[in-house]
Amino acid sequence: SANPFLPGAGRLADERHFAVNIISAAPPESGREDNTLYAHLPLATAGDLATPYAILIYRIYVPDNGRDRAGDMPLPRIELQSPDGTIYQGPEACEALEPFLPSTINEEITDAAANLPVPTGFGAFARLSWLKFFGLQSSTENRINATPAREAVHALVPNPANNSGGFASNIDNQYIYAALNQDHGPLAVFEAQMPQAPRTTAGQVVMEQGDMRYWSVCTYEIATQRYYDCLYDENALLDGADRGVFLVGREADRPANATRECGVNWLPWGPLKNSLIIMRHMLPETTFPHAIQRIPSPSGSCEAPVMGDYFPYGEHLDKAAFEALGCPVDPAQIANRASQFEPTDDCPQAPAGEVDSLGQP
């Protein structure tokens, strides 16, 4: 079969079958088997993490126009091979697995009050503080960044040691995030140059090349990660230099110039006081140096230096302030991108002086 996702490949090839093996082993440093996923995590000091469970996620981001959510393709068929070689398929495979003990956390969230007890200083600043997600531990720790406990807690928690991701991010799909809070202003705006990605939704015959396969900007409920809305590489509005202006807010606070005619991408804030923006990069080319995947730890030190013009500078503001930008809204009015970084051994560039958008209170 043909792989329709490779640059230059025919996207409409009829034969596009594939099979993936998931095996109970740690991924090797070299000699990886073709089309194989490994279900153990190598730990530097404790050997393999021999957990009985792994989660397989099958992602479909954006189907071509006129196709269903799965791209008019059937979902994968799963087979389970037992240690004695017996093959189980379909419902039999599920029955052959050990019973999974589900958590009640989803039910607890569903039955919780609408206004979850989220403190004001939930990692949100007047100037947007964008942090790379390295895992649940570091992202949970960063939620106290806007509180007096910040320095004490950061001194106790080690920096993330690897760049493999976690909690649905991985080496191919990584993101930066910024917390929002109504106390800083009813709206949040940011601008950035956006990477080039192949266009596919119109049913293009040949797979194009780009800086990466896909990027998106989405708003989420900060406590549960329920999403409100997303814009992605093909439906976001960019200018001739691939720069975009993104405004997050509620309809009641929407400025008159927050329209596509004025060059503005609008995303809903959601009903709660706090909100969350996530910018996602997927499958960047090795030749593209500004991908989120290139940002080393710790969070808050190298995001802007590595991403450069692709870093989303922004801030909280009110309706009158945004309407004062006029129409069309010039991205240059959103942030001052004057040179404020100098090279160091830790980052390709590092902040020189106080830079609010890197997370300082």
Side-chain angles (χ1 to χ4, degrees):
S1 292
N3 183 345
F5 299 100
L6 298 177
R11 293 190 63 250
L12 306 182
D14 291 330
E15 294 298 324
R16 52 174 70 214
H17 300 90
F18 68 96
V20 173
N21 295 316
I22 302 108
I23 62 175
S24 183
E29 294 184 3
S30 62
R32 184 185 184 110
E33 298 181 39
D34 291 341
N35 282 28
T36 299
L37 292 173
Y38 297 85
H40 279 188
L41 177 67
L43 299 179
T45 57
D48 294 345
L49 181 64
T51 173
Y53 299 112
I55 297 175
L56 174 67
I57 298 178
Y58 180 70
R59 286 186 171 103
I60 300 176
Y61 280 88
V62 182
D64 288 358
N65 295 334
R67 298 185 183 271
D68 64 22
R69 291 186 178 184
D72 287 346
M73 292 290 112
L75 294 177
R77 297 182 299 274
I78 296 176
E79 293 183 349
L80 175 68
Q81 180 175 326
S82 67
D84 64 8
T86 304
I87 301 294
Y88 300 94
Q89 297 179 334
E92 289 184 347
C94 299
E95 294 171 2
L97 290 170
E98 295 180 24
F100 179 70
L101 301 179
S103 168
T104 61
I105 188 169
N106 286 333
E107 289 75 13
E108 293 172 3
I109 291 173
T110 300
D111 297 334
N115 281 307
L116 297 171
V118 179
T120 298
F122 210 52
F125 296 87
R127 293 279 305 275
L128 300 189
S129 174
W130 291 90
L131 303 173
K132 179 173 175 176
F133 180 87
F134 284 95
L136 282 177
Q137 176 176 301
S138 63
S139 66
T140 301
E141 174 201 0
N142 288 329
R143 294 183 177 187
I144 53 87
N145 278 352
T147 72
R150 173 187 175 172
E151 297 302 327
V153 173
H154 282 4
L156 296 174
V157 180
N159 292 325
N162 63 66
N163 200 21
S164 63
F167 195 61
S169 75
N170 54 50
I171 57 174
D172 295 324
N173 180 66
Q174 298 197 4
Y175 46 86
I176 57 174
Y177 61 94
L180 309 180
N181 190 287
Q182 292 276 314
D183 287 348
H184 296 305
L187 302 170
V189 65
F190 63 92
E191 67 87 24
Q193 183 171 342
M194 307 306 289
Q196 293 185 350
R199 304 186 73 82
T200 58
T201 57
Q204 282 84 347
V205 175
V206 176
M207 175 62 76
E208 301 174 356
Q209 195 151 4
D211 298 320
M212 59 188 58
R213 175 74 59 78
Y214 171 89
W215 61 260
S216 66
V217 176
C218 305
T219 50
Y220 293 81
E221 183 181 283
I222 196 168
T224 67
Q225 302 299 296
R226 176 179 60 183
Y227 93 99
Y228 296 129
D229 202 2
C230 289
L231 293 168
Y232 62 95
D233 46 69
E234 286 202 52
N235 69 359
L237 181 66
L238 308 179
D239 65 15
D242 291 329
R243 303 202 78 85
V245 174
F246 297 81
L247 185 65
V248 182
R250 296 171 179 161
E251 281 297 328
D253 302 313
R254 187 167 185 165
N257 56 343
T259 64
R260 292 182 69 88
E261 290 73 21
C262 294
V264 178
N265 294 284
W266 173 262
L267 282 167
W269 182 294
L272 305 183
K273 183 178 183 178
N274 295 82
S275 192
L276 184 73
I277 317 171
I278 289 180
M279 176 178 284
R280 179 178 285 101
H281 284 178
M282 187 175 80
L283 286 170
E285 291 283 354
T286 56
T287 55
F288 183 66
H290 304 295
I292 293 170
Q293 283 81 349
R294 314 283 182 254
I295 301 170
S297 68
S299 299
S301 60
C302 295
E303 285 84 348
V306 170
M307 294 183 72
D309 285 343
Y310 298 86
F311 181 79
Y313 283 90
E315 62 185 354
H316 289 77
L317 74 171
D318 59 23
K319 181 176 180 179
F322 190 83
E323 288 182 339
L325 298 177
C327 181
V329 175
D330 182 2
Q333 299 180 77
I334 306 300
N336 178 14
R337 287 183 175 269
S339 177
Q340 52 187 338
F341 304 104
E342 296 178 357
T344 73
D345 293 336
D346 297 326
C347 287
Q349 298 177 42
E354 294 291 322
V355 183
D356 291 341
S357 54
L358 291 185
Q360 284 84 356

